């Protein structure tokens, strides 16, 4: 079949990266989804329609990140000269610049949809390499592709390897979303290039501990495992409410809470009191005059998939 003959629809989960100590390596896929419908065109025409999150701000031209991802895969597959445009329809539930992996979801949706239109020549691992080359770090794109929790590394030869797993416990995620945006670029600029060895040890031990606790179902250890000294303390100046929100979540029964990705969303892990925790977290922002809402999410176990 010609690659411009049909429309494909895919669904990709939002993601929360870092999960406390796992800076740039641990992520989890959440039950909040962006949908993409894609038709490739031989003619030079780009029609982009956007519904939901980012409808007012996402570019509808060559800068559009879904289209950039599509073009990247077309280039890799040697099809760039056959396709000059596309009809793109994005239906977004993942808020933009919020710490829930909106750019990763957009990239992965473009790659997944174009791979299907090409006849699935690439594996998820291949798509992961391309997605990381666009996004710059693997901790959101890996769970967006595979689902569940993922632990990712970049090998000494520059390849990304990810291992996915589902936790051995019943886990809900309560995410509070303040009505603010924070670009990942800005949130990375405040991070120091070097950290004390004791802080590195603090994080290495907790990142490993978190994975072990999740895999063994040792819920009582999660509260120790989510501690972090590599990014949250530096980002606090961009989000002064962070520490109090985390404390409130834990006070109301969460196993642990952390900045979701680069923020400003904050995520709590729990198996109980979900609404009580969400309200308490949102109230911290309300008291400071910032609108905030919360959502209770499950872990998405499938990652990116075609909607038939
Ligand atoms: N690990 C990244 C960060 C996730 O914290 O900067 C943001 O996309």
């Amino acid at each position: 079949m010609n690659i411009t003959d049909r429309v494909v629809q895919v669904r990709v989960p939002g993601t929360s990266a870092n999960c406390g100590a796992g800076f740039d390596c641990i992520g989890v896929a959440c039950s909040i989804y962006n949908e993409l419908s894609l038709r490739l065109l031989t003619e030079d025409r780009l029609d982009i329609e956007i519904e939901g999150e980012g409808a007012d701000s996402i570019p509808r031209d060559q800068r559009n990140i879904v289209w950039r991802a599509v073009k990247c895969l077309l280039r890799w597959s040697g099809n760039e000269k056959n396709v000059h445009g596309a009809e793109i329809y994005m239906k977004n539930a993942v808020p933009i610049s919020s710490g829930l992996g909106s750019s990763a979801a957009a990239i992965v949706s473009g790659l997944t949809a174009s791979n299907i239109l090409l006849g699935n020549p690439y594996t998820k691992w291949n798509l992961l390499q391309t997605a990381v080359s666009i996004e710059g770090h693997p901790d959101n794109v890996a769970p967006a592709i595979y689902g569940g929790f993922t632990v990712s590394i970049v090998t000494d030869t520059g390849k990304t390897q990810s291992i996915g797993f589902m936790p051995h416990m019943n886990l809900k995620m309560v995410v509070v979303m303040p009505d603010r945006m924070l670009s990942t670029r800005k949130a990375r600029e405040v991070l120091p290039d070097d950290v004390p060895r004791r802080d590195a040890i603090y994080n290495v031990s907790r990142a490993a501990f978190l994975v072990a606790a999740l895999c063994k179902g040792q819920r009582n250890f999660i509260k120790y495992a989510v501690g972090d000294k590599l990014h949250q303390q530096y980002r606090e100046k961009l989000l002064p409410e962070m520490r109090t929100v985390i404390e409130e979540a834990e006070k109301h029964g969460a196993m642990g809470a952390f900045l979701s990705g680069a923020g400003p969303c904050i995520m709590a892990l729990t198996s109980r009191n979900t609404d009580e925790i969400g309200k308490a977290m949102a109230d911290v922002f309300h008291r400071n005059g910032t609108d905030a809402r919360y959502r209770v999410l499950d872990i998405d176990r499938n990652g990116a998939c075609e909607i038939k």
Side-chain angles (χ1 to χ4, degrees):
M1 192 193 288
N2 198 306
I3 59 173
T4 55
D5 270 354
R6 70 181 184 107
V7 179
V8 70
Q9 277 180 285
V10 297
R11 185 181 93 152
V12 179
T15 48
S16 181
N18 303 327
C19 304
F23 183 73
D24 272 4
C25 63
I26 299 180
V28 59
C30 312
S31 60
I32 180 168
Y33 300 96
N34 282 0
E35 290 177 12
L36 168 71
S37 154
L38 174 71
R39 181 201 294 275
L40 301 174
L41 303 172
T42 47
E43 75 227 53
D44 186 5
R45 173 165 65 85
L46 191 56
D47 277 351
I48 301 180
E49 218 183 299
I50 304 164
E51 186 187 326
E53 300 289 341
D56 298 334
S57 56
I58 295 173
R60 288 171 166 75
D61 54 25
Q62 295 291 331
R63 294 169 299 163
N64 182 277
I65 193 158
V66 170
W67 174 236
R68 280 170 40 213
V70 170
K71 280 208 303 191
C72 198
L73 209 71
L74 293 172
R75 201 162 47 240
W76 274 38
S77 63
N79 279 286
E80 207 180 22
K81 55 192 173 312
N82 307 324
V83 177
H84 300 286
E87 287 170 2
I88 289 172
Y89 172 64
M90 302 164 71
K91 190 171 168 199
N92 294 340
V94 181
I96 306 294
S97 291
S98 65
L100 284 176
S102 60
S103 66
I107 293 166
V108 170
S109 69
L111 295 176
T112 305
S114 42
N115 190 40
I116 294 168
L117 291 173
L118 291 168
N120 282 315
Y122 298 111
T123 62
K124 288 191 174 209
W125 185 84
N126 296 135
L127 299 186
L128 176 67
Q129 308 310 309
T130 318
V132 173
S133 74
I134 303 171
E135 171 92 334
H137 43 87
D139 46 343
N140 289 106
V141 291
I145 291 173
Y146 294 110
F149 274 90
T150 54
V151 184
S152 303
I153 61 165
V154 180
T155 67
D156 295 343
T157 57
K159 298 289 182 217
T160 299
Q161 300 291 1
S162 293
I163 299 180
F165 67 94
M166 284 297 287
H168 197 68
M169 64 177 85
N170 168 25
L171 206 54
K172 295 273 184 196
M173 295 174 287
V174 181
V175 61
V176 66
M177 310 168 175
D179 190 12
R180 263 182 228 167
M181 292 213 266
L182 178 56
S183 80
T184 300
R185 186 184 49 74
K186 210 168 157 197
R188 287 178 90 83
E189 273 170 11
V190 298
L191 304 180
D193 286 334
D194 301 301
V195 296
R197 182 195 300 172
R198 62 178 176 280
D199 289 356
I201 295 169
Y202 186 99
N203 270 61
V204 170
S205 54
R206 278 163 184 75
F209 202 67
L210 176 66
V211 175
L214 289 169
C215 287
K216 298 276 282 183
Q218 294 196 267
R219 60 182 66 243
N220 296 340
F221 284 143
I222 300 289
K223 63 172 179 279
Y224 307 118
V226 293
D228 159 74
K229 284 190 191 283
L230 288 188
H231 70 110
Q232 293 187 168
Q233 63 197 0
Y234 305 108
R235 288 170 164 171
E236 212 173 332
K237 59 178 164 236
L238 302 172
L239 192 66
E241 298 90 343
M242 176 170 66
R243 194 179 296 265
T244 314
V245 174
I246 291 173
E247 282 167 9
E248 280 296 302
E250 292 173 352
K251 208 189 289 174
H252 286 82
M255 296 173 198
F258 42 78
L259 189 64
S260 182
C265 283
I266 296 172
M267 176 79 82
L269 302 180
T270 190
S271 55
R272 61 198 170 110
N273 301 356
T274 48
D275 287 311
E276 190 184 324
I277 293 167
K279 283 186 191 122
M281 292 168 86
D283 274 349
V284 177
F285 286 107
H286 296 155
R287 284 198 292 274
N288 277 7
T290 299
D291 249 5
R293 60 199 160 115
Y294 72 90
R295 279 192 61 168
V296 180
L297 303 172
D298 290 304
I299 299 173
D300 167 273
R301 39 169 77 232
N302 301 316
C305 60
E306 182 171 6
I307 312 171
K308 301 272 187 186

